[in-house]
Amino acid sequence: KSDSTYDYIVVGGGTSGLVVANRLSEQKHTTVLVIEAGGSVYNNPNVTDTFGYGKAFGTDIDWAYKTTDQEYAGGSPQIVRAGKALGGTSTINGLVYLRAQAAQIDAWEAVGNKGWNWKTLLPYFKKGEQLQDPTKYPVLDGSGVTFDPAYHGFTGPLKVGWPSTQLNDGLAQKLNVTYQNLDVPVQFNNDPNSGDMVGYSLYPKTLDYELNIREDAARAYYYPYQNRTNLHVWLNTHANKITWKDGHEATADGVEVTLSNGKTTVVKAAREVILAAGALKSPVLLELSGIGNPDVLSKYGIATKINLPTVGENLQDQMNNGLQFESKKSHDDNKSTDYVSYPSAAQLFPNSTALGADLLRKLPAYAAQVASANGNITKASDIYRFFKIQWDLIFKDGIPVAEILLSPSGNTYSSEYWGSVPFSRGSVHLSSADPTAAAIIDPKYFMLDFDFEAQVQAARFIRKVFSTEPLGDMAGAEIVPGLSTVPAGADDEDWADFIKGKYRSNFHPITTAAMLPKEIGGVVDTSLKVYGTSNVRVVDASVMPFQVCGHLQSTVYAVAERAADIIKGRL
Ligand code: FAD
């Protein structure tokens, strides 16, 4: 293997990497190598089981990245999970297939990324998707499942749909009535993947309806194509850094890897090196390769090849909490109940207009605080610009400000939730020149009080939903946090211990190699090429400039589909 040369080397055989590898290897004379640190999980029941969420956590297919102690959230670290396997995080995620609000993707263009907007990304959402039309499955009749075919693809590699285990006992309809009975009603949304997410819906998942198993990136984009002679995958192989051609230009000529037998070697790339190692790894690989902030690199004796100080900056994640209630009726745990509501600011915050005005006044101070907490590497004036765009999305465009899931299980109802668009930003950086060393990951959860406010307000909203008929009559006492822990009518301070003590990462890290103009902190340009290099790209969740209100994978798949067309020279 050590003297092989490939046209393209894709680092990371995960969600985005396998899309790009598949599409590039459609060109028969183009050779593609995927380097993947994990192994195959094709037959791993912790992966395939559509009810298996969480079973893979803490096993050897979970990177289980640890953050620094979170100073704004009680001081404890968090675990941020990510898949270490062919298929990457798509092999351990929650299967949810929910995109973004159109205005959020349009904001990518508004911030300076020409050509990246909802209209240009929608064809790629559709290109990747194989929606399993629920109208063909009688078992889904009456389950409440709806969709608008105009927004879906039916022939792409990735199977998406509702499961054959979908609950069909009228609960979905009762929840809908409950949402309509709120003092500020949340309407039914026929298709939250249409670019308008606000409302209550039954969402689809990445699964194979017929086989009732998880559909992940490997099952969709690799295994059916594994006989292509121009597509190779090296499993259990760790990429250490990019290697460079001699000369002044930053042209990659390969990747240093440690093979499964422990031997370290270099594999050559004739055309490009494409990073797809995930938002907490790709920026670190750039740093190990000499691309980043010289102050950071020099600490570990790494010579700066390209001075690009925002590598690893602007890390954004969400915070996840959950409420739980007793149920008067016992539920069958082998039924799927994929119910989501996405309230806008006007629906979530009782005083939305005043809150918005107050937040607008605070934005310059927020931007200064974020910049200073991160060493002023991204300028406060640039962060202010990002924040103003985010403010407009929330208070003018009416994007969802929270996601609220509801699932019955046994004698309980659980409701996980999170504020969709926190303002806090942190960073991820290497901690050593050793490529296997853990990175320093600091999302700065809860740094800004709006993020906390959204989390508290979402909890209050859930309490309101559970006291509204007909759900109110079906549910019993609140179990978590329980009224003895957080009394009815509790103020923000009373909520703080629960919210900051019990939250977890929502596992949606992004923006650590942001697609943005270079002068405002970008790491990659609109062709996803790393500034200053002639042939290195990043195609994973790191490049998303703003958080999306849906879950990340659908947008990761779509970005990677579009990236492949860019690399092929079609865009
Ligand atoms: P990944 O898919 O993580 O791919 C990165 C790949 O690179 C991995 O295979 C990794 O092993 C490999 N790699 C890393 N470093 C190296 C190295 N040095 N050498 C070689 N290989 C390397 N999103 C949804 O849309 N719906 C959900 O329900 C959902 N639930 C989630 C639940 C959990 C527990 C988690 C962790 C995430 C969830 N997400 C969900 C988020 C979503 O799955 C991810 O954002 C997305 O899959 C990330 O894709 P990616 O291509 O950026 O990275």
Side-chain angles (χ1 to χ4, degrees), residues 123-430:
Y124 292 101
F125 280 112
K126 290 163 82 168
K127 182 178 183 185
E129 183 184 15
Q130 188 186 132
L131 189 78
Q132 300 154 106
D133 183 348
T135 59
K136 295 202 178 126
Y137 302 114
V139 70
L140 293 171
D141 271 0
S143 64
V145 164
T146 57
F147 76 109
D148 181 343
Y151 294 100
H152 294 274
F154 296 87
T155 55
L158 184 74
K159 289 184 177 154
V160 173
W162 292 266
S164 51
T165 50
Q166 187 81 21
L167 182 71
N168 201 345
D169 73 346
L171 175 61
Q173 289 81 352
K174 284 184 190 135
L175 268 178
N176 187 25
V177 175
T178 305
Y179 279 113
Q180 306 318 310
N181 286 343
L182 293 172
D183 44 353
V184 183
V186 173
Q187 67 280 20
F188 184 75
N189 184 342
N190 186 52
D191 193 335
N193 282 312
S194 63
D196 179 10
M197 310 195 76
V198 175
Y200 161 70
S201 319
L202 280 69
Y203 60 84
K205 290 174 150 182
T206 42
L207 51 77
D208 183 319
Y209 178 94
E210 301 290 346
L211 301 176
N212 189 27
I213 55 170
R214 172 192 297 269
E215 177 81 342
D216 58 51
R219 212 170 268 278
Y221 282 91
Y222 177 67
Y223 291 112
Y225 308 91
Q226 62 184 324
N227 291 334
R228 283 182 188 167
T229 52
N230 59 334
L231 172 60
H232 289 186
V233 172
W234 291 1
L235 296 178
N236 304 306
T237 301
H238 192 273
N240 300 335
K241 60 179 176 184
I242 297 165
T243 60
W244 302 103
K245 244 186 199 153
D246 289 342
H248 295 298
E249 241 207 344
T251 300
D253 68 358
V255 178
E256 182 195 289
V257 298
T258 301
L259 303 169
S260 52
N261 63 10
K263 207 178 133 217
T264 293
T265 183
V266 171
V267 54
K268 292 284 181 190
R271 299 182 72 170
E272 295 195 5
V273 172
I274 298 163
L275 297 187
L280 297 177
K281 261 299 170 58
S282 290
V284 176
L285 278 163
L286 289 174
E287 291 181 330
L288 289 163
S289 312
I291 303 177
N293 183 345
D295 292 342
V296 173
L297 305 189
S298 61
K299 265 194 245 170
Y300 308 107
I302 296 171
T304 301
K305 180 87 184 165
I306 298 168
N307 180 346
L308 200 51
T310 51
V311 169
E313 294 296 316
N314 291 304
L315 169 61
Q316 298 168 57
D317 191 9
Q318 298 149 327
M319 295 80 73
N320 181 305
N321 282 103
L323 265 58
Q324 200 179 39
F325 296 80
E326 286 171 358
S327 166
K328 292 181 184 162
K329 176 184 157 188
S330 174
H331 300 278
D332 180 353
D333 285 344
N334 295 313
K335 291 288 177 192
S336 300
T337 48
D338 308 316
Y339 309 140
V340 67
S341 79
Y342 279 116
S344 65
Q347 290 165 327
L348 191 79
F349 299 117
N351 51 349
S352 173
T353 309
L355 184 90
D358 184 48
L359 180 62
L360 189 59
R361 277 190 298 273
K362 284 183 183 161
L363 287 187
Y366 270 20
Q369 193 184 342
V370 170
S372 147
N374 292 296
N376 291 304
I377 292 157
T378 307
K379 291 202 290 280
S381 53
D382 294 329
I383 295 177
Y384 175 75
R385 196 171 150 200
F386 307 148
F387 283 2
K388 180 61 176 45
I389 289 175
Q390 194 162 323
W391 188 93
D392 285 344
L393 286 169
I394 299 172
F395 293 99
K396 285 191 176 160
D397 297 307
I399 64 166
V401 284
E403 168 158 343
I404 289 152
L405 299 166
L406 192 139
S407 51
S409 164
N411 289 313
T412 64
Y413 292 102
S414 295
S415 189
E416 263 185 44
Y417 69 92
W418 55 91
S420 319
V421 278
F423 282 76
S424 303
R425 289 178 179 225
S427 63
V428 51
H429 291 293
L430 80 183

Side-chain angles (χ1 to χ4, degrees), residues 12 15-16 36-37 63 81 85 88-89 93-96 239 540-541 551 553:
T15 317
S16 54
E36 171 51 47
W63 286 96
R81 307 205 177 273
T89 303
N93 72 16
L95 308 174
V96 180
D540 59 28
H551 295 228
Q553 67 170 343

Side-chain angles (χ1 to χ4, degrees), residues 8-47:
Y8 295 95
I9 299 180
V10 178
V11 176
T15 317
S16 54
L18 290 181
V19 175
V20 171
N22 175 309
R23 295 303 185 188
L24 292 178
S25 62
E26 285 174 342
Q27 308 172 117
K28 284 199 179 57
H29 301 295
T30 300
T31 55
V32 180
L33 171 66
V34 176
I35 296 166
E36 171 51 47
S40 167
V41 289
Y42 191 80
N43 291 316
N44 182 333
N46 292 341
V47 170

